[in-house]
Amino acid sequence: QVQLVESGGGSVQAGGSLRLSCAASGGSFTTNAMAMGWFRQAPGKGREFVAAINWGGASTYYTDSAKGRFTVSKGRAKDTSYLQMTSLKPEDTATYYCAAGSRVPVHGRTSVPNRDEFDYWGRGTQVTVSS
């Protein structure tokens, strides 16, 4: 019953920036345990975790490849998640997926979230980074 829609993908030169958006609708996102995450998948590759944020937006978690370059945030209504990507590299080229889950810890975690921790998924938005 929860729907997630990503937007903001496109083509950019290496070193450039893009901001992805994820709009959630059709469900309840009022619990503090509800987290929103971003994954990506390149052709022939598995779905890779990128970043996650808790409902209130105070806690975030990033994979090593995203640290220092990507920033995940929440909109005022808390039903929108943003992924600001800077210093993009060709290896960032992938389809980026928004995800949401009600049982995904973010604050203080030390391990990369598994895709199975998330309950809902968007259809993805393409990001292409050229040299």
Side-chain angles (χ1 to χ4, degrees):
Q1 60 180 355
V2 174
Q3 295 182 336
L4 304 174
V5 180
E6 305 95 336
S7 62
S11 298
V12 65
Q13 292 289 321
S17 302
L18 284 173
R19 189 178 77 155
L20 307 182
S21 300
C22 175
S25 63
S28 177
F29 289 84
T30 60
T31 175
N32 190 54
M34 174 65 73
M36 300 185 74
W38 290 91
F39 288 73
R40 66 187 183 186
Q41 187 167 18
K45 304 292 184 180
R47 191 162 297 189
E48 175 190 28
F49 172 78
V50 178
I53 188 167
N54 70 349
W55 178 253
S59 298
T60 59
Y61 184 80
Y62 300 91
T63 191
D64 286 344
S65 64
K67 292 178 181 177
R69 299 191 300 127
F70 295 179
T71 301
V72 63
S73 61
K74 296 295 293 293
R76 179 179 295 180
K78 308 305 181 185
D79 58 356
T80 302
S81 174
Y82 302 98
L83 183 67
Q84 177 68 48
M85 305 186 294
T86 62
S87 301
L88 284 164
K89 306 173 182 179
E91 51 262 44
D92 294 318
T93 296
T95 300
Y96 283 70
Y97 296 90
C98 177
S102 59
R103 298 170 298 280
V104 184
V106 179
H107 178 70
R109 75 178 297 149
T110 59
S111 61
V112 174
N114 187 280
R115 60 185 295 177
D116 293 335
E117 297 182 50
F118 293 86
D119 303 307
Y120 310 103
W121 294 85
R123 293 185 179 275
T125 185
Q126 180 66 38
V127 171
T128 301
V129 184
S130 301
S131 300

